[in-house]
Amino acid sequence: MTDREDIIDLAVRYAWALDTKQVDGLRDVFTPDATAMLRGVECRGVEEIIARVAGSILRLDNTQHLISNHHVVVDGDAATHRCQLQSQHVLSGVAGGDNFIVGGYYEDRVVRTTHGWRIAHRLMQQTWTDGNPAVTKREPT
């Protein structure tokens, strides 16, 4: 695979880790000291990233993170990656509806490590939503 393909694969592995609720797999996506800004919450280190994601994802019935329109620029052992996303969150029994969809994009700073490409910093920027935001905020009723 080319560097570009490897970096896109990294983004895909992130989405699969979330949607299969295998958040420990994020250790193979991020550097140990990675930082992230995920929907306005700052995370420092892969363990904080995993905790943030787990707190959001694991209590839901289902999620689906779709990513597209990848833009990758490689400069030696560093790269930038951007892609658009739509993520659907499902939790049955929430007053007001069971679905909440978020649209936005990821912007990543990526580095080549001895274990392959890893995300050193991720920004998840929400640009629109649809559905019931209570799905991501409350337990089912």
Side-chain angles (χ1 to χ4, degrees):
M1 289 173 69
T2 67
D3 288 335
R4 181 182 187 284
E5 291 169 322
D6 288 342
I7 292 166
I8 292 171
D9 183 65
L10 187 65
V12 170
R13 287 189 318 213
Y14 176 88
W16 275 106
L18 272 57
D19 293 338
T20 59
K21 298 186 180 192
Q22 296 177 359
V23 295
D24 286 340
L26 295 178
R27 288 185 184 88
D28 296 329
V29 172
F30 290 94
T31 62
D33 61 347
T35 58
M37 182 65 72
L38 304 173
R39 289 187 69 202
V41 176
E42 186 175 5
C43 303
R44 295 189 178 279
V46 69
E47 298 306 320
E48 281 189 24
I49 294 168
I50 290 171
R52 165 71 174 147
V53 169
S56 298
I57 297 294
L58 296 182
R59 63 179 204 77
L60 298 171
D61 295 333
N62 289 292
T63 62
Q64 185 179 44
H65 290 75
L66 304 175
I67 53 176
S68 66
N69 300 334
H70 298 271
H71 182 254
V72 177
V73 177
V74 177
D75 184 12
D77 290 336
T80 57
H81 166 258
R82 296 184 306 170
C83 65
Q84 294 179 332
L85 79 114
Q86 284 189 27
S87 58
Q88 180 161 320
H89 309 83
V90 179
L91 184 62
S92 297
V94 177
D98 299 345
N99 296 294
F100 183 57
I101 301 173
V102 173
Y105 59 89
Y106 294 122
E107 285 189 357
D108 301 323
R109 188 169 34 84
V110 184
V111 295
R112 189 188 320 262
T113 72
T114 57
H115 302 289
W117 289 99
R118 297 291 186 266
I119 298 171
H121 178 76
R122 167 158 276 189
L123 166 69
M124 184 279 165
Q125 183 63 52
Q126 174 181 303
T127 56
W128 62 270
T129 65
D130 188 40
N132 183 6
V135 166
T136 59
K137 295 181 173 66
R138 294 190 205 135
E139 295 299 320
T141 55

